[in-house]
Amino acid sequence: MATLSSSSSSSSSFSKTHFTITLLILLTCTLNPNVQALKAPIHPQDILPLLPHQISWPLLNSLWGAADLLPSFVGAVAVANNSDLHWKGSCFYENTAWLELHNKTGSQFGGGTLHIKVSSAHSWTCMDIYLFATPYRVTWDYYFLSREHTLEFDEWSGKAEYEYVKRKGVAIFLMEAGMIGTLQALWEVFPLFTNTGWGENSNLAFLKKHMGANFEVRPEPWVTNITEDDIHSGDFLAISKIRGRWGGFETLEKWVSGAYAGHSAVCLRDPQGKLWVGESGHEDEEGQDVIALLPWDEWWDFELTKDDANPHIALLPLHPDLRSRFNETAAWEYAQSMVGLPYGYHNLIFSWIDTVSDNYPPPLDANLVASVMTVWDQMQPAYAANMWNEALNKRLGTQGLELAEILVEVERRGSSFAELLTIPEQDDWVYADGKSTSCVAFVLEMYKEAGLFGELADQIQVTEFTIKDAYTLNFYENNSSRLPKWCNEGDTVELPFCQIKGKYRMELPGYNTIEPYPHMTERCPSLPPDYSRPQYC
């Protein structure tokens, strides 16, 4: 604003008046329902990007965020029920869609026309953006004018798509934030994955906004002078990365699962007493994420000097009673048998999804998950097969079905894709590239082998656990006087675990509180910001 006000006092007065009037218009039109009900020539949200940066961006940031990139499911338009679909959009408040099948190309199964009539726009400058999906394709369109629009499907890909569209129709998703909101959401998402101070601050802001995290700065030093002899087999390492590629991925993982850590590893001593770290997700020389056993010194040096994701690390010592039961020999043999296997991408998303609707932060839902999978299936078929196709086949009891065939098969059986996603992962499933364990599943499988789950071992599927589920187990030290002397040394807050690295104080809500029970974490909701869960879910 200094540049605008430097020419004269009248210019300064005009800028202040302009700013005041702008705020009054925005507040009036945003907060007064009677004003919102009128069709305005220009809606305040539509002109925000045209205002000076100092005014527009703080307001845009308060209205839209990264979550607004997610389209919301409006409904599916089919010919089977011979009925139209009606809904309220973000720009156009009255919308109707219907599907017409035809064979203009003379092909075996023909194509179709999706008719969409939009009206009652809230302003003259707004628009609605939509995605349209079947199991075999995803496309998009935007509407600026009040009239009937059409979307042509010249030719169905085959009998399967034709039969699916007849029964289930074409799914419609609305980008609720509109064009400007979507661009602003992209602006919030992009820095999450950048290895910069901007990226780190963006990750912190996202987690504060969407999860209620605090990120209080700890007193220095931010690295603990550890005595290695105080670390024992089975001690859990909770890791939170806050910048770069892994920082951005972990931020989104935390948001959907409710975990306040995004990665995990485990400490383990070999038969000679040497300390190692077992980790699923270690990047090898070829850039592949694999399961590895690393000497403690090597692992710790990497985290201190080479990991550019600014990892915050907490050591969760096992309770003495659990430590006395920990079978080091069985744990070591298990870890050795897993070294070199790929990270458990096969079951990564299934540890998060336990319910039909209560694991998806709005507007995310199973319909959108299916559409995103469809896009990836077309763009990166090998990636899609590794991430979910084989796991979905196991849930259906089938082999080799592609995603589109899986979706059709689910509907044929009278079920739904949302229900399919909730079928619990089984620890004894073996995939084409071997047993599949994510970072936390690898640690908990080791706990199983070491005897920590006792008689419940066969009744608990640890591949269903998130990192939050792991650190809320009542397996850890509950007497602060027995923690190592260097634990949280210099910190003004006494944590129940040992934070050994990080500028910000780590939070682990629900830490060390839940006793294991049969079928644990197989039916648990995880909706932000509270992430409340019923007992014994």
Side-chain angles (χ1 to χ4, degrees):
M1 295 298 291
T3 303
L4 292 175
S5 61
S6 61
S7 59
S8 67
S9 60
S10 61
S11 176
S12 174
S13 175
F14 175 81
S15 296
K16 292 178 181 178
T17 303
H18 177 260
F19 177 79
T20 304
I21 293 174
T22 300
L23 286 182
L24 286 173
I25 293 173
L26 288 171
L27 289 172
T28 301
C29 293
T30 303
L31 301 178
N32 188 331
N34 296 321
V35 174
Q36 283 186 313
L38 300 176
K39 179 175 179 178
I42 298 176
H43 194 276
Q45 293 181 9
D46 301 331
I47 64 169
L48 278 177
L50 305 178
L51 300 177
H53 182 277
Q54 296 92 330
I55 301 173
S56 63
W57 281 95
L59 291 169
L60 283 167
N61 279 320
S62 67
L63 291 171
W64 295 297
D68 294 304
L69 274 177
L70 300 174
S72 61
F73 179 62
V74 170
V77 186
V79 295
N81 54 12
N82 196 30
S83 62
D84 299 344
L85 180 67
H86 303 274
W87 72 96
K88 179 182 179 181
S90 297
C91 171
F92 296 95
Y93 288 169
E94 295 182 11
N95 304 276
T96 305
W98 63 97
L99 181 65
E100 170 193 1
L101 299 182
H102 59 66
N103 196 351
K104 297 177 182 178
T105 61
S107 60
Q108 184 176 2
F109 300 104
T113 301
L114 180 63
H115 299 264
I116 301 177
K117 185 177 181 180
V118 301
S119 60
S120 301
H122 69 65
S123 81
W124 295 345
T125 56
C126 66
M127 69 171 65
D128 277 336
I129 306 173
Y130 289 95
L131 300 180
F132 306 95
T134 77
Y136 300 82
R137 71 184 77 206
V138 175
T139 187
W140 71 285
D141 206 348
Y142 64 92
Y143 304 121
F144 183 74
L145 300 175
S146 294
R147 63 179 179 83
E148 181 181 324
H149 304 264
T150 59
L151 182 69
E152 291 293 339
F153 298 91
D154 295 330
E155 192 173 314
W156 305 121
S157 62
K159 182 179 180 181
E161 184 177 26
Y162 169 69
E163 294 293 341
Y164 183 92
V165 169
K166 276 205 308 182
R167 294 195 318 273
K168 304 299 295 186
V170 176
I172 301 177
F173 299 87
L174 169 67
M175 302 295 293
E176 292 198 64
M179 180 66 77
I180 300 302
T182 301
L183 292 175
Q184 170 60 22
L186 281 170
W187 182 257
E188 185 178 358
V189 165
F190 170 74
L192 297 180
F193 298 88
T194 61
N195 196 359
T196 62
W198 176 36
E200 181 172 313
N201 290 333
S202 297
N203 278 287
L204 300 186
F206 184 98
L207 294 171
K208 288 178 180 178
K209 177 179 178 180
H210 296 286
M211 292 184 69
N214 292 309
F215 294 105
E216 297 175 348
V217 177
R218 300 196 301 153
E220 295 191 61
W222 296 329
V223 176
T224 299
N225 186 15
I226 297 170
T227 302
E228 192 175 312
D229 291 342
D230 291 329
I231 302 177
H232 304 277
S233 287
D235 288 351
F236 189 98
L237 291 162
I239 304 161
S240 179
K241 303 187 179 187
I242 57 176
R243 66 191 295 171
R245 175 172 61 99
W246 281 112
F249 172 80
E250 287 190 15
T251 288
L252 299 179
E253 177 191 7
K254 293 167 189 173
W255 174 51
V256 299
S257 69
Y260 276 61
H263 186 52
S264 58
V266 65
C267 300
L268 186 63
R269 292 191 180 272
D270 65 17
Q272 289 72 45
K274 181 178 179 180
L275 184 62
W276 298 73
V277 173
E279 181 179 33
S280 179
H282 173 74
E283 187 173 324
D284 65 11
E285 295 81 2
E286 299 177 357
Q288 301 297 314
D289 297 319
V290 298
I291 297 173
L293 270 175
L294 304 169
W296 167 266
D297 290 339
E298 179 182 332
W299 182 86
W300 185 232
D301 179 69
F302 176 85
E303 297 303 329
L304 291 181
T305 63
K306 300 175 184 176
D307 192 337
D308 57 7
N310 193 4
H312 286 52
I313 305 173
L315 178 77
L316 319 183
L318 280 182
H319 190 279
D321 293 345
L322 274 293
R323 187 178 300 145
S324 66
R325 287 164 42 192
F326 191 90
N327 187 329
E328 275 190 341
T329 302
W332 182 257
E333 290 176 354
Y334 167 76
Q336 291 277 28
S337 73
M338 297 293 287
V339 168
L341 289 178
Y343 174 82
Y345 287 109
H346 293 292
N347 45 38
L348 179 63
I349 68 170
F350 299 100
S351 64
W352 152 48
I353 301 174
D354 290 346
T355 67
V356 170
S357 60
D358 291 337
N359 296 110
Y360 304 102
L364 190 62
D365 63 8
N367 297 287
L368 181 56
V369 170
S371 296
V372 171
M373 287 182 175
T374 299
V375 173
W376 277 108
D377 202 47
Q378 294 173 0
M379 295 173 57
Q380 298 284 343
Y383 173 90
N386 188 41
M387 281 290 287
W388 47 70
N389 284 3
E390 193 173 356
L392 292 171
N393 271 282
K394 286 187 177 296
R395 284 161 172 77
L396 278 174
T398 54
Q399 290 185 346
L401 294 184
E402 300 296 332
L403 179 63
E405 297 170 315
I406 290 169
L407 295 174
V408 171
E409 177 64 18
V410 168
E411 299 296 340
R412 187 189 69 80
R413 296 186 184 188
S415 184
S416 68
F417 187 67
E419 292 173 321
L420 180 66
L421 292 174
T422 67
I423 296 176
E425 183 82 7
Q426 301 297 303
D427 291 351
D428 59 0
W429 281 350
V430 179
Y431 290 84
D433 52 7
K435 290 199 71 174
S436 182
T437 56
S438 64
C439 61
V440 68
F442 171 72
V443 176
L444 296 181
E445 283 279 15
M446 184 184 294
Y447 282 4
K448 260 192 174 185
E449 294 294 327
L452 297 193
F453 284 98
E455 296 179 354
L456 290 174
D458 293 335
Q459 302 177 62
I460 290 178
Q461 307 300 326
V462 297
T463 43
E464 277 290 302
F465 280 54
T466 65
I467 296 173
K468 176 184 178 181
D469 297 326
Y471 67 64
T472 55
L473 283 169
N474 67 343
F475 279 5
Y476 311 105
E477 180 60 81
N478 59 4
N479 185 340
S480 60
S481 67
R482 291 197 295 251
L483 293 172
K485 292 181 179 179
W486 44 261
C487 183
N488 302 311
E489 188 174 13
D491 201 344
T492 55
V493 174
E494 186 178 282
L495 296 174
F497 48 82
C498 304
Q499 182 167 348
I500 57 178
K501 185 181 184 299
K503 173 181 178 180
Y504 303 101
R505 189 171 293 114
M506 292 180 69
E507 304 171 80
L508 300 177
Y511 173 68
N512 204 23
T513 57
I514 301 179
E515 184 175 353
Y517 54 87
H519 303 289
M520 184 175 180
T521 76
E522 292 182 7
R523 291 289 182 265
C524 292
S526 60
L527 290 177
D530 298 327
Y531 301 99
S532 58
R533 51 167 281 169
Q535 196 173 22
Y536 303 120
C537 61

